[in-house]
Structure formats: structure tokens, C-alpha cells
């Protein structure tokens, strides 16, 4: 969790702020539009659901109206945090990798060799291919956990949250791994060796993704925090320094 929180300090670092701008802008636009669209549908869905109850059970209709609303909001936020976060990362992927590179250079003083926008453009096919690898890993698991989310009360929601936390760790930790041309399979194996740190980091990302306004900052903050965790914890494990 501390690595994620460290990201809030890193995005304010002189020399890194300009690399935060594009991921932040993409996140801001997508989250604002998606939240507006989703919450605009909740009222209609609740009215439809309550309308299925016979009129003679008026007391039940009233009770459900009060109970379903908070449950619907929490459910939308949980699903939204991962699904739309994934979409935002697809769009901003090349610039997310650049931000991770600059954060690593800031933390270690070592240049990875890429020089700027031309390198970002050159790496677009590779970074989008990497996002595709993450998507193919995510989709079948997401379908299974999403079914459990709706079928198993409480337990399903807890499992979805745990899955979301793990996927958040994979999503954001992958940028520094990809910058070093480390395969997706090797990246996952390294994260498994530091599962406690990764889940804790993912919990932080998932929780802050559910907080209005703050969630606009989550993408650049998580990239910075994940890169700090790569430098301190994950890179030594990959190199055999366990």
C-alpha cells in the first residue's frame, strides 16, 4: 500500500509532471463520461426492478428502494473501477510506459535509452500487443468472477474485489517490466513471488478508484507507485536477489 501512496508524491515531482498530464487527461475524460452514463441508468433499473413487485406489497417496494440503491452504487463502482480502468489504460498505454520510464530514471538515475515522443510512437505496436496479452489473461477470469459476483451474495463481491486488486497490480506493474522487454509470463511469475505486496498495492488502487474525484488521479499515481515497487522490490526478485 505504501508504494501506491508514494505515487501521490511522485506525480508532484519536478520533471515528471508533464509526463503525468496525458494519462491524467485520458482518465479524467473517460471516468467522467462513464460515471455520468452509468449512474444515469441506475434510477431506471431500480424503478424497473421494484415495479416487478405486486402493488399489495407496497411496504416491500419502499424497503427495497432504500436497500437496492446503495448496493447498486457499490456494485457499479466495483465493476466500473476495473473495466473502465482497463479501457483507459488501453488508450494511454504508450504514454503510461513513458511515465514509468521517467519515474524509474528519477528513482535510479539510470536512463533506459528511449528519448521521447518518437520512441513512444515506435513502441505503440509492442505496447498495444502487451495490453492484448493482459486482456486475454483478464477476460476469461473476469467472466467467471463476475458470475460469482451476481450469484453469491457477499462472497461473490469479496472475490471480485480480490480479483480486481490482483488485476490492478498486474496492470500497473507491467509497465516497468515491459520497458525492460520482460515477457508477460515472467512478469506474472515475479508478481507471484511478491503476492502480499502486490495484493496490498492492488487494494489501494481499487479503493481509490472508487472515490469520486480522487479516482481521476489513480492511473498516474498507480504507475508511479508500481514503478517504485519495481525498483525496490520486484526487480531484485527478478534478478535473483530474493
Amino acid at each position: 500500500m505504501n508504494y501506491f501512496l508514494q505515487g501521490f508524491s511522485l506525480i508532484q515531482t519536478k520533471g515528471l509532471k508533464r509526463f503525468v498530464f496525458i494519462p491524467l487527461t485520458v482518465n479524467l475524460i473517460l471516468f467522467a463520461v462513464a460515471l455520468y452514463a452509468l449512474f444515469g441508468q441506475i434510477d431506471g433499473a431500480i424503478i424497473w426492478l421494484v415495479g416487478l413487485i405486486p402493488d399489495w406489497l407496497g411496504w416491500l417496494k419502499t424497503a427495497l428502494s432504500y436497500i437496492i440503491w446503495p448496493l447498486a452504487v457499490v456494485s457499479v463502482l466495483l465493476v466500473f473501477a476495473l473495466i473502465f480502468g482497463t479501457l483507459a489504460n488501453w488508450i494511454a498505454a504508450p504514454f503510461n510506459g513513458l511515465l514509468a520510464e521517467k519515474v524509474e530514471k528519477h528513482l535510479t538515475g539510470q536512463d533506459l535509452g528511449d528519448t521521447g515522443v518518437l520512441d513512444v510512437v515506435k513502441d505503440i505496436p509492442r505496447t498495444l500487443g502487451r495490453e492484448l496479452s493482459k486482456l486475454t489473461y483478464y477476460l476469461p477470469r473476469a467472466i467467471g468472477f463476475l458470475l460469482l459476483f451476481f450469484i453469491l451474495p457477499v462472497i461473490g463481491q469479496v472475490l471480485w474485489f480480490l480479483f480486481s486488486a490482483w488485476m490492478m497490480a498486474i496492470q500497473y506493474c507491467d509497465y516497468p517490466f515491459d520497458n525492460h522487454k520482460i515477457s508477460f509470463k515472467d512478469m506474472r511469475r515475479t508478481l507471484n513471488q511478491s503476492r502480499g505486496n502486490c495484493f496490498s498495492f492492488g487494494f489501494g488502487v481499487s479503493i481509490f478508484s472508487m472515490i469520486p474525484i480522487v479516482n481521476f488521479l489513480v492511473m498516474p499515481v498507480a504507475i508511479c507507485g508500481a514503478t517504485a515497487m519495481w525498483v525496490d522490490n520486484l526487480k531484485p526478485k527478478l534478478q535473483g536477489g530474493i
Side-chain angles (χ1 to χ4, degrees):
M1 182 76 79
N2 287 335
Y3 287 114
F4 174 70
L5 297 177
Q6 187 179 339
F8 283 98
S9 298
L10 287 169
I11 65 170
Q12 303 175 58
T13 303
K14 185 178 180 180
L16 295 179
K17 291 180 182 178
R18 63 181 180 272
F19 299 104
V20 171
F21 177 74
I22 292 179
L24 181 59
T25 302
V26 170
N27 223 21
L28 179 64
I29 294 172
L30 286 179
F31 269 66
V33 172
L35 275 176
Y36 178 81
L38 283 172
F39 281 108
Q41 301 301 315
I42 288 180
D43 276 331
I46 291 176
I47 291 171
W48 173 80
L49 185 62
V50 172
L52 298 177
I53 301 172
D55 290 337
W56 59 274
L57 289 174
W59 63 272
L60 182 57
K61 283 190 174 188
T62 303
L64 282 177
S65 296
Y66 286 105
I67 294 171
I68 293 175
W69 174 255
L71 289 176
V73 170
V74 172
S75 297
V76 165
L77 288 174
L78 281 171
V79 176
F80 166 84
L82 187 57
I83 293 177
F84 285 92
T86 301
L87 177 61
N89 280 296
W90 261 82
I91 296 174
F95 300 97
N96 291 346
L98 180 61
L99 174 58
E101 176 192 329
K102 298 305 178 182
V103 171
E104 183 171 350
K105 181 181 178 182
H106 168 75
L107 294 173
T108 65
Q110 299 175 358
D111 200 326
L112 300 187
D114 294 335
T115 58
V117 177
L118 289 178
D119 293 285
V120 172
V121 174
K122 179 188 68 178
D123 287 340
I124 285 177
R126 194 192 82 245
T127 54
L128 291 182
R130 189 72 166 212
E131 292 300 316
L132 182 60
S133 296
K134 283 184 271 190
L135 187 64
T136 54
Y137 175 85
Y138 160 71
L139 277 179
R141 292 164 177 81
I143 292 170
F145 282 107
L146 198 57
L147 289 174
L148 294 176
F149 180 93
F150 291 111
I151 294 172
L152 297 177
V154 182
I155 295 175
Q157 286 76 46
V158 170
L159 290 175
W160 175 264
F161 186 78
L162 291 172
F163 170 67
S164 297
W166 178 246
M167 282 306 307
M168 290 296 186
I170 285 180
Q171 178 64 58
Y172 292 108
C173 289
D174 186 54
Y175 292 116
F177 278 89
D178 186 42
N179 283 340
H180 287 269
K181 311 298 189 294
I182 297 165
S183 72
F184 185 66
K185 181 179 179 180
D186 288 340
M187 183 273 297
R188 287 191 288 112
R189 183 167 58 245
T190 305
L191 295 192
N192 275 319
Q193 294 174 354
S194 192
R195 193 170 296 178
N197 280 340
C198 292
F199 267 113
S200 178
F201 175 84
F203 288 155
V205 179
S206 297
I207 291 169
F208 278 82
S209 295
M210 296 169 61
I211 302 174
I213 307 301
V214 177
N215 55 17
F216 298 143
L217 295 170
V218 164
M219 183 191 294
V221 167
I223 294 166
C224 293
T227 305
M229 184 161 67
W230 153 260
V231 170
D232 292 347
N233 185 273
L234 300 174
K235 187 176 182 180
K237 282 183 168 57
L238 184 69
Q239 295 173 339
I242 301 176

